[in-house]
């Protein structure tokens, strides 16, 4: 038993000394190729075995013949181990270089395509993560391009919509100043109407900036959806009469919701104004509200004739108005963007779909959950 412990001690000392030297070499070459590190690891394993064997042979006074046999066996093992380490290292390094080359496409705005061929589990996992990151970056770039396009369109349309009333205001002011206005009272009423329109546009821009900045503070309370819709219909009735459009709201359930009444009234008002302006005379704009499996759904249907399928996904984008809506009464294309921002601030969802003869805008809100 004592001889066995003694041999184990000598073997450990010889192998341990080799391991310390190997650790120092690995530290020195830590920035070198993986092939070099694998070679050092294989060499340490074989040399540690040889050092332990020689230490035991020296301590136990083995015969020279036995020592030469053991040394030869260890040497052959060293050759095979080093060759295997070199092959493995070269294969892993080649795969890593191929992965690096594929990853460089990120910098050029391209998509990541994993190199073909087998790989280790770690490299394969890295390839999958890079592919997922590439997909997320592609979606992010697409969103950024869409937002940039919306911003450019918004600036162009706002500039147009501001220039037109400002030019009219200047002309009417000059006419009043020079005393050449045939009907001053009519001019004053027109000036007031244009100023109100500009004030609404500035208010929409301010509201949208608060939404985008995440600074929209909601003062929520429990209210009846029936009351909200009723107030919105009453507010939109004069505009509907002016356009010869019928307002219908006989499918509204008295569903309680937890919302900011002021902001939600703005949502319903924007949807109704948008529907009335795009519905021809003698058309109908209908409002409905009911419970669903997803919460509470408020819908506004109009008779606009429908929206092209390619534009359905852009309806709620900032500044979007469609090719047929570039006339001044259409506003700056902010109303529906504000609708989506307010609804999403309430943890809801705004959507639109075509129906026969028109469109159906839907606002889905979380159902009210009483405490207790």
């Amino acid at each position: 038993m004592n001889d066995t412990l003694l041999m184990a001690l000598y073997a450990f000392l010889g192998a341990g000394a080799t391991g310390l030297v190997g650790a120092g070499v690995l530290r020195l070459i830590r920035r070198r190729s993986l092939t070099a590190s694998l070679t050092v690891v294989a060499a340490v394993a074989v040399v540690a075995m040889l050092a332990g064997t020689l230490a035991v042979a020296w301590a136990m006074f083995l015969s020279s013949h036995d020592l030469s046999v053991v040394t030869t066996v260890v040497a052959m093992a060293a050759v095979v181990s080093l060759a295997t380490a070199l092959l493995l290292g070269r294969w892993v390094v080649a795969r890593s270089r191929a992965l690096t080359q594929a990853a460089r496409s990120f910098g050029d705005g391209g998509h990541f395509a994993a190199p073909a061929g087998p790989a280790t589990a770690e490299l394969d996992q890295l390839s999958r993560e890079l592919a997922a990151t590439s997909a997320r970056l592609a979606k992010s770039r697409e969103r950024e391009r869409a937002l940039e396009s919306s911003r450019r369109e918004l600036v162009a349309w706002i500039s147009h919509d501001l220039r037109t009333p400002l030019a009219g205001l200047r002309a009417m002011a000059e006419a009043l100043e020079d005393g050449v206005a045939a009907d001053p009272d009519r001019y004053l009423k027109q000036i007031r109407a244009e100023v109100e329109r500009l004030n609404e546009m500035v208010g929409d821009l301010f509201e949208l900036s608060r939404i985008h900045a995440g600074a929209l503070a909601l003062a929520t309370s429990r209210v009846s959806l029936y009351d909200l819709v009723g107030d919105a219909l009453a507010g939109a009735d004069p505009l509907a009469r002016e356009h010869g459009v019928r307002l219908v709201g006989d499918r509204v359930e008295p569903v309680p919701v937890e919302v900011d009444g002021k902001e939600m009234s703005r949502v319903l008002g924007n949807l109704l104004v948008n529907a009335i302006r795009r519905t021809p005379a003698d058309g109908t704009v209908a409002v409905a509200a009911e419970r669903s499996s997803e919460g509470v759904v408020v819908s506004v249907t109009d008779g606009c004739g429908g929206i092209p399928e390619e534009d359905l996904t852009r309806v709620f984008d900032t500044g979007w108005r469609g090719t047929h809506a570039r006339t001044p009464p259409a506003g700056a294309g902010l109303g529906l963007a504000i609708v989506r921002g307010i609804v999403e601030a309430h943890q809801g969802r705004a959507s639109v779909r075509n129906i026969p003869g028109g469109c159906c805008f839907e606002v889905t809100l979380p159902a009210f959950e009483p405490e207790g």
Side-chain angles (χ1 to χ4, degrees):
M1 185 65 182
N2 291 335
D3 291 341
T4 302
L5 292 176
L6 187 60
M7 285 189 295
L9 177 61
Y10 278 108
F12 175 77
L13 291 175
T18 304
L20 291 176
V21 174
V25 175
L26 286 174
R27 180 176 177 79
L28 292 175
I29 66 171
R30 62 184 180 277
R31 299 184 184 276
R32 303 291 295 274
S33 171
L34 181 62
T35 303
S37 297
L38 288 175
T39 303
V40 171
V41 170
V44 167
V46 175
V47 173
M49 184 188 300
L50 179 60
T53 303
L54 291 177
V56 172
W58 174 78
M60 303 305 293
F61 301 103
L62 294 180
S63 65
S64 57
H65 176 268
D66 293 341
L67 183 59
S68 63
V69 170
V70 172
T71 304
T72 302
V73 171
V74 173
M76 294 300 101
V79 172
V80 174
S81 299
L82 292 175
T84 302
L86 287 171
L87 290 175
L88 176 61
R90 290 176 62 86
W91 177 74
V92 173
V93 168
R95 179 69 180 184
S96 299
R97 287 175 178 172
L99 200 58
T100 301
Q101 186 65 31
R104 287 175 182 168
S105 61
F106 285 165
D108 301 328
H111 299 280
F112 174 80
T120 63
E122 291 78 10
L123 291 179
D124 189 56
Q125 177 65 24
L126 178 59
S127 296
R128 289 195 296 269
E129 290 296 331
L130 289 174
T133 302
S134 174
R136 289 193 295 269
L137 287 175
K139 291 181 180 179
S140 177
R141 286 192 295 267
E142 186 63 29
R143 286 195 300 268
E144 183 64 27
R145 284 192 291 265
L147 288 174
E148 183 61 29
S149 177
S150 296
R151 281 192 289 266
R152 287 196 298 267
E153 292 177 352
L154 176 62
V155 171
W157 291 342
I158 286 290
S159 300
H160 173 270
D161 289 348
L162 285 176
R163 187 182 297 114
T164 301
L166 287 175
L169 287 171
R170 183 173 61 183
M172 288 185 286
E174 290 175 351
L176 290 172
E177 185 179 20
D178 296 338
V180 297
D183 188 353
D185 289 339
R186 184 174 64 84
Y187 273 49
L188 290 174
K189 290 180 180 178
Q190 185 65 26
I191 288 175
R192 180 178 179 84
E194 293 295 340
V195 170
E196 288 294 333
R197 182 178 156 214
L198 290 174
N199 183 64
E200 290 178 2
M201 189 181 300
V202 172
D204 286 346
L205 285 171
F206 179 69
E207 182 79 356
L208 195 63
S209 68
R210 288 200 303 161
I211 291 173
H212 287 173
L216 182 63
L218 299 177
T220 61
S221 61
R222 182 184 178 184
V223 297
S224 171
L225 201 55
Y226 184 86
D227 294 337
L228 282 177
V229 173
D231 292 342
L233 288 172
D237 186 64
L239 181 65
R241 292 179 180 273
E242 179 184 342
H243 285 75
V245 175
R246 292 185 299 274
L247 287 180
V248 178
D250 54 3
R251 292 177 48 225
V252 180
E253 297 181 6
V255 182
V257 288
E258 188 83 14
V259 297
D260 185 314
K262 179 182 177 182
E263 296 296 341
M264 196 52 58
S265 295
R266 182 164 193 166
V267 167
L268 296 175
N270 285 359
L271 290 177
L272 285 172
V273 169
N274 180 74
I276 292 170
R277 285 175 173 170
R278 285 162 176 76
T279 298
D282 295 330
T284 300
V285 171
V287 182
E290 57 187 359
R291 296 180 184 271
S292 74
S293 58
E294 298 180 353
V296 179
V297 179
V298 183
S299 62
V300 177
T301 58
D302 58 36
C304 68
I307 300 173
E309 292 295 330
E310 62 272 15
D311 289 339
L312 280 176
T313 57
R314 297 195 59 203
V315 167
F316 293 98
D317 288 351
T318 301
W320 185 88
R321 294 186 295 185
T323 56
H324 68 287
R326 294 176 186 264
T327 55
L334 305 180
L336 293 179
I338 292 173
V339 166
R340 180 174 64 178
I342 294 175
V343 171
E344 290 181 351
H346 284 83
Q347 308 302 315
R349 185 182 73 255
S351 60
V352 60
R353 56 186 171 86
N354 285 325
I355 59 175
C359 301
C360 178
F361 287 84
E362 293 183 339
V363 171
T364 303
L365 297 171
F368 175 73
E369 298 293 343
E371 295 181 0

